[in-house]
Amino acid sequence: VTGMGSENNMPLTFDLEQNYPNPFNPSTKIVYTISEKTFTSLKIFDILGNEIATLVGEEQPAGKYEVQFDASNLSSGVYLYKLQSNSLVQTRKMLLLK
């Protein structure tokens, strides 16, 4: 038995990894995987739910992606980052310490 992912290296899951480093100052790396070609959105929100930035907002093929987020103009605190692809959504917390 063989899996499709092992033959063509295509990801089989939708996943949003924890940012690194966390806590961070002033920039951090966000890694995510999407399993099919679709419109993908990666946004940053403050703890009150206000949108701070849109890091990704485009159609992307299946694969693993890495995005740098520079928060040098933001104050210390907890921020949320949300990945949305088709009907799949995943959100994680990150901490900015200055």
Side-chain angles (χ1 to χ4, degrees), residues 16-19 22 24 47 78-81 91-95:
L16 178 61
E17 297 180 15
Q18 185 63 52
N19 66 302
N22 190 34
F24 68 99
I47 197 67
V78 175
Y79 292 87
L80 305 171
Y81 56 106
T91 304
R92 292 194 180 266
K93 286 192 275 187
M94 59 184 169
L95 179 61

Side-chain angles (χ1 to χ4, degrees), residues 27-95:
S27 67
T28 188
K29 177 176 68 170
I30 300 171
V31 177
Y32 64 93
T33 305
I34 55 175
S35 59
E36 61 184 339
K37 181 178 179 180
T38 184
F39 184 83
T40 303
S41 168
L42 179 61
K43 295 183 178 187
I44 308 296
F45 297 89
D46 65 16
I47 197 67
L48 299 175
N50 300 311
E51 185 177 326
I52 302 298
T54 298
L55 303 181
V56 177
E58 63 187 18
E59 186 171 68
Q60 294 182 313
K64 188 169 188 173
Y65 297 89
E66 179 179 307
V67 178
Q68 279 296 124
F69 174 57
D70 182 8
S72 55
N73 61 338
L74 299 175
S75 58
S76 295
V78 175
Y79 292 87
L80 305 171
Y81 56 106
K82 179 173 100 170
L83 178 67
Q84 187 165 2
S85 178
N86 279 339
S87 61
L88 302 171
V89 178
Q90 198 169 7
T91 304
R92 292 194 180 266
K93 286 192 275 187
M94 59 184 169
L95 179 61

